[in-house]
Amino acid sequence: MKCPIDKTDMIVVEHQKIELDFCTRCSGVWFDSRELELLVTVLKSQGYHLSEGDLLTPHQAKVSEAKRKCPICRRDMQKVWLGKEPKVLIDRCPAGDGLWFDGGELSQVICQLQTKDRAGARDVISFLDNAFGATCKTDSKSLPVQKPNNQR
């Protein structure tokens, strides 16, 4: 699969049955249509408290940022807000093929999640840290800050 940003070949990264396509050049991550739901299921099983609606029901964004092509169907993707405040601007295939996270956006969403027991969630956080640069701090006040206007 080709990266929608720089058109280079992406590599497949797999963890706990979640297969993601990762661009080693721009650090973007492609989630096929069901991979985000699987990630939410894994995170819930490891102690995270989240509303599936916060992650799985993106809200369309009206921004002037250039549209990207879906790496599967080649249609223009929609810009949508995802996650809790601060929301993260991502790209969604209108045909339902998947979601595109620019480098750092996936970690912003993951770091917003709350948990009773961070020790129970270390496996997923460790994987995300190693694979996608998600360096979440242990207190909820240390979440990454979204850039104004979601500059990329």
Side-chain angles (χ1 to χ4, degrees), residues 14-73:
E14 182 179 352
H15 182 72
Q16 295 190 7
K17 300 181 184 177
I18 301 169
E19 288 186 8
L20 305 175
D21 296 279
F22 177 69
C23 179
T24 57
R25 182 177 286 170
C26 72
S27 300
V29 180
W30 175 258
F31 277 78
D32 287 327
S33 60
R34 297 289 177 220
E35 299 300 328
L36 190 61
E37 289 112 344
L38 186 54
L39 177 63
V40 168
T41 300
V42 169
L43 289 170
K44 280 185 167 184
S45 74
Q46 295 192 351
Y48 277 89
H49 300 277
L50 66 148
S51 162
E52 288 189 19
D54 288 337
L55 293 178
L56 301 178
T57 309
H59 305 286
Q60 192 160 359
K62 293 182 181 181
V63 296
S64 60
E65 185 176 274
K67 293 194 179 217
R68 299 192 168 103
K69 301 278 186 199
C70 171
I72 295 177
C73 71

Side-chain angles (χ1 to χ4, degrees), residues 9 26 31 33 39 52 58 63 87-89 116 135 149:
D9 288 328
C26 72
F31 277 78
S33 60
L39 177 63
E52 288 189 19
V63 296
K87 293 195 179 292
V88 179
L89 185 66
K116 285 183 184 175
T135 52
N149 298 323

Side-chain angles (χ1 to χ4, degrees), residues 106-127:
L106 177 58
S107 65
Q108 289 175 339
V109 172
I110 295 298
C111 289
Q112 292 177 11
L113 304 176
Q114 299 297 318
T115 183
K116 285 183 184 175
D117 178 16
R118 287 255 180 218
R122 270 188 290 198
D123 185 42
V124 170
I125 296 300
S126 177
F127 164 70

